[in-house]
Amino acid sequence: MSNKAVTVLDLQRMKQQGTRITMLTAYDATFARLVDQAGVDMILVGDSLGMVVQGHKNTLPVTIEQMAYHGAAVARSTERAHVVVDMPFLSYHVTDEEAVRNAGHLVQNGAHSVKLEGGAERATTINAIVRAQIPVMGHIGLTPQSVHAQGGFKVQGRGDDAGQRLLEDALAVQEAGAYSLVLEGIPLELATKISEALSIPTIGIGAGNGCDGQVLVIYDLLGLDDAFKPKFVKRYASLAGVVRDSIGTYIDEVRSGAFPDADHSFHSKRPVAPPAEGDAVDAPEGDRVPYGPTDLTH
Ligand code: KIV
């Protein structure tokens, strides 16, 4: 794996060469660094942050400023992965001019490309953003910003007519200039057919293994919410218990006085004489307050 930053051209080349693309979400600097170091090709700063970071029931309350804030934190901590930032609800629905301005705002905050939801009905908007030299990733199928219109978070494209409409949406998004397309919550057979029909890479979530790549929400992959386990999620770890147990041990040790022990405390390098009257009160070097400019490792 090369250390070179992944571009939209690399992603298109990966589709042509049949190399599967990996994408995960991240919303902050710490996770972005870990995901990037692990070698993922793309990081999505998804508006799913409305649910998993902000605690909302859906993604609708998320604002463009919040996406810019999280996008900037992720972009600052990423060296190799291509960083895609979601355009939130109402940031691209009113006018194409506003959509271009909002997409540009995300790019000025570090996004390498933006993602927006919708098919043929978003083609002119996608094209306007692409003409402003901003790469766009499309997103069709189960589109979370349409939660009310779709009657909940439900699998889409079941049945011939619905499947045909999604295929036409995919072609319209590609024709509008998108460089890739997320397929969410659709049958494996339909996702495979769409992926074969398109020249741009498709990235699936709940869409089976016929897509050109896959994306998951990082907290789902790590098993950080043990109450949430939809069919399409595979947990590669069960960290919720590890986190709770670690915090439980910390609570016990603080209460018992076992933490902090001598190894986790600063020590005077020389005996501190009590200040004489009139002396400046200054702690010896190495014993200054935490988060000051001193070396805090010993
Ligand atoms: O917001 C998000 O995390 C997404 C993925 C689920 C594709 O859009």
Side-chain angles (χ1 to χ4, degrees), residues 23-27 44-50 52 59 67 86 115 117 137 139 142 144-145 182-184 203-205 215-218 220 232:
M23 177 157 93
L24 282 174
T25 67
Y27 315 102
L44 172 65
V45 185
D47 62 352
S48 50
L49 68 84
V52 298
T59 60
M67 293 310 302
D86 256 342
K115 174 166 83 60
E117 298 179 6
M137 171 179 249
H139 181 163
L142 189 169
Q145 292 172 15
V182 167
L183 301 176
E184 178 167 358
I203 309 291
I205 174 163
V215 58
L216 279 178
V217 169
I218 183 74
D220 295 343
F232 65 89

Side-chain angles (χ1 to χ4, degrees), residues 15-65:
K15 160 113 185 179
Q16 286 153 16
Q17 293 170 349
T19 307
R20 287 205 162 106
I21 298 167
T22 55
M23 177 157 93
L24 282 174
T25 67
Y27 315 102
D28 65 27
T30 301
F31 270 107
R33 197 176 309 113
L34 289 170
V35 169
D36 191 46
Q37 286 168 352
V40 86
D41 302 308
M42 307 180 79
I43 295 182
L44 172 65
V45 185
D47 62 352
S48 50
L49 68 84
M51 299 167 84
V52 298
V53 175
Q54 299 176 338
H56 294 296
K57 284 195 167 20
N58 56 49
T59 60
L60 301 179
V62 179
T63 67
I64 189 75
E65 275 316 321

Side-chain angles (χ1 to χ4, degrees), residues 5 36 48 56 69 100 110 131 139 147 189 242 251 266-267 296:
D36 191 46
S48 50
H56 294 296
Y69 172 90
V100 172
R131 279 189 284 111
H139 181 163
V147 57
E189 299 76 11
V242 174
I251 292 170
F266 300 108
H267 302 278
L296 298 176

